[in-house]
Amino acid sequence: MQKAGIYCCILAAMLAGCNKDDSSDDENNGNWKKGYPELSGDQRAESVVFVIGDTAYLGTGINRDGEYLRDFMKFTANQGWTQIADLPEGADARSGAVAFVADGTAYVGTGQNEDGYRLNDFWAYSPLKGYWEKKAKLVDPDNAARDLSRKDAVAFAVKGKGYVATGWEQGGLNDVWQYVPADDKWYRRRSFEGAKRSEAVAFVIQDIAYLATGVNNSENKVDFWMYKADEDDWVQLRDIANTNDEEDYDNDYDIACSNAAVAVKNNKAYISTGTKGGISKQTWEYNPVTDMWAQKREFEGAARTGAVAFTLGNVIYLSTGRSSGSYFDDTYSFDPDATYDEKD
């Protein structure tokens, strides 16, 4: 695959000047705000989250007692968190699962259960129905006996079709599978062309998917890719670490991590928290027009990994996660363009 072209040199130089120390001092580099109701369920990490309309839905994960969860809650800015239907009894409680939304229906699947087994089942939830329905398992359409169980994968949706990629099952994975709701079937797509990994993030901006971060063999991955679903084509972008000795734009890049949270606002992506040696509070903004990253104000809650992020009403939220023996049920909002307010 070709390298993405070099973008706007002037913007590159401007962004390169925003080093990590500058980020913490810049009043206009974003503002985190607490004050939202705590989850109605357990403190947890390794959950899934999805958004349908003006409501976010969060569920599954693992709590501080090591119990795997199957409950779900919904969140609106006005009402906070309230319970909805749990995954049905036929669905294992799980952590490290994935979720995507296609045409107003959410699909949740994969992950690991309390016995340590990786999973390949999928369950659909529609707010109009208010209950979960069993869907096709993630299996190879050319070999139905080959299940594709995994945990810590990524998932996304483009134009009404869902995608599951990477993850871990006795080692890192790089395969990609497409789900077509009308068929209730999975189809093989071109494998991810970057390094195998788990605990990565994926996001979609204007029908283009992006895959970044993640870990394999205890090494955080620095390669960054976009996926053109219509063409089934992976294109490599600039690395997310200081690997270009000929230019300065990446001198302060320290983005590589695992188990981070990601959300999209105004056609830019925001990666926050996660693990990079230790537990991180860093927040980075990605602009696909320039293929450049800029550091924003670090997360102002407790450093954590295994959190989730989502966007509602053009506001980014980050919730849950863990740090050592602490598990969280708090929720913060983030405005990347706001002036910092130390009282929030």
Side-chain angles (χ1 to χ4, degrees):
M1 289 293 106
Q2 72 271 24
K3 281 274 188 181
I6 301 299
Y7 301 93
C8 188
C9 294
I10 296 176
L11 280 175
M14 292 173 62
L15 288 173
C18 296
N19 63 31
K20 290 178 281 187
D21 292 335
D22 291 339
S23 172
S24 62
D25 295 333
D26 184 356
E27 289 187 352
N28 298 311
N29 219 24
N31 188 57
W32 291 92
K33 183 178 180 180
K34 198 179 177 182
Y36 298 94
E38 297 170 347
L39 295 187
S40 51
D42 291 356
Q43 297 171 325
R44 68 190 66 206
E46 324 296 340
S47 300
V48 297
V49 71
F50 56 85
V51 173
I52 300 177
D54 61 356
T55 304
Y57 301 80
L58 183 153
T60 69
I62 186 171
N63 68 15
R64 63 170 62 246
D65 297 320
E67 297 171 336
Y68 287 71
L69 305 170
R70 63 158 49 88
D71 62 333
F72 268 84
M73 294 147 278
K74 66 179 182 180
F75 174 87
T76 64
N78 293 329
Q79 297 180 341
W81 295 98
T82 56
Q83 296 287 144
I84 65 165
D86 296 354
L87 284 177
E89 288 299 319
D92 288 359
R94 68 195 64 203
S95 69
V98 297
F100 59 85
V101 174
D103 296 330
T105 297
Y107 299 84
V108 173
T110 70
Q112 177 173 294
N113 68 12
E114 61 185 357
D115 296 319
Y117 292 109
R118 264 66 69 189
L119 305 169
N120 69 340
D121 57 337
F122 267 83
W123 302 81
Y125 180 82
S126 166
L128 296 177
K129 295 179 179 179
Y131 58 86
W132 295 88
E133 295 179 293
K134 190 173 184 178
K135 293 297 180 179
K137 292 183 176 181
L138 178 57
V139 297
D140 187 338
D142 299 320
N143 181 5
R146 178 192 172 206
D147 83 62
L148 301 168
S149 299
R150 65 196 61 209
K151 67 173 182 176
D152 299 328
V154 298
F156 54 88
V158 177
K159 296 183 179 179
K161 298 174 182 177
Y163 297 81
V164 172
T166 67
W168 190 92
E169 172 54 63
Q170 306 302 322
L173 302 170
N174 66 348
D175 52 345
V176 180
W177 303 90
Q178 179 195 69
Y179 178 74
V180 179
D183 301 342
D184 190 27
K185 290 182 179 179
W186 293 90
Y187 299 92
R188 182 192 297 273
R189 306 298 283 169
R190 180 176 296 180
S191 292
F192 172 57
E193 296 186 17
K196 296 178 181 179
R197 69 195 67 198
S198 60
E199 298 182 356
V201 298
F203 54 90
V204 176
I205 298 175
Q206 295 185 333
D207 293 331
I208 299 294
Y210 298 81
L211 196 155
T213 71
V215 63
N216 198 39
N217 296 321
S218 300
E219 178 183 66
N220 286 332
K221 297 303 176 184
V222 303
D223 52 335
F224 177 40
W225 297 75
M226 70 179 181
Y227 177 65
K228 300 178 181 180
D230 287 345
E231 302 169 25
D232 192 22
D233 185 27
W234 290 95
V235 178
Q236 189 169 6
L237 304 172
R238 290 184 172 118
D239 288 349
I240 58 173
N242 183 12
T243 59
N244 189 334
D245 295 332
E246 298 179 357
E247 296 192 54
D248 296 332
Y249 68 86
D250 60 352
N251 284 357
D252 298 302
Y253 277 13
D254 183 25
I255 307 160
C257 62
S258 60
N259 222 3
V262 66
V264 172
K265 174 183 175 178
N266 293 338
N267 293 325
K268 294 180 180 179
Y270 298 86
I271 292 177
S272 188
T273 66
T275 302
K276 51 175 69 182
I279 306 300
S280 176
K281 299 174 71 171
Q282 287 188 355
T283 301
W284 290 85
E285 175 189 82
Y286 177 67
N287 185 343
V289 175
T290 60
D291 188 26
M292 299 287 287
W293 295 84
Q295 191 168 7
K296 308 297 284 186
R297 183 161 300 279
E298 70 176 21
F299 177 61
E300 293 177 25
R304 62 192 66 192
T305 189
V308 297
F310 55 92
T311 304
L312 280 181
N314 213 30
V315 176
I316 295 170
Y317 297 88
L318 188 147
S319 186
T320 67
R322 61 176 170 83
S323 178
S324 299
S326 297
Y327 284 69
F328 303 105
D329 58 7
D330 50 359
T331 301
Y332 287 76
S333 65
F334 179 59
D335 185 341
D337 302 312
T339 299
Y340 173 61
D341 185 349
E342 65 181 3
K343 296 180 181 179
D344 282 347

